[in-house]
Amino acid sequence: MPDGIRFINSLTIGLASGWARPLIRRFVFDTARGDAWILHNIEEVGQLERFLPDLYAREAPTDAAA
């Protein structure tokens, strides 16, 4: 992609109903785990620049092949 990349990340845990949200935050996904998850995503996305351009160049169809 000549203009760069757009990366969207989403994490869904639990139920759609609001009553479970406080329980999940307290026992499953507290602030420390949330902070660790954010750090993990920063590190993971930071690795994309190391291999994604070459992968895209190798795998993306060219105008001649389309």
Side-chain angles (χ1 to χ4, degrees):
M1 172 180 279
D3 296 331
I5 185 171
R6 180 175 182 194
F7 186 85
I8 299 173
N9 187 345
S10 175
L11 174 67
T12 304
I13 297 177
L15 308 170
S17 63
W19 66 266
R21 203 168 292 145
L23 296 174
I24 291 168
R25 285 186 182 153
R26 182 170 183 186
F27 297 109
V28 178
F29 210 79
D30 59 10
T31 301
R33 192 172 301 247
D35 290 345
W37 181 256
I38 290 170
L39 178 60
H40 165 78
N41 279 280
I42 291 168
E43 292 170 342
E44 184 176 28
V45 171
Q47 295 300 312
L48 291 175
E49 66 182 321
R50 298 181 188 273
F51 68 88
L52 195 58
D54 290 337
L55 178 64
Y56 182 82
R58 190 171 61 243
E59 299 293 331
T62 62
D63 290 336

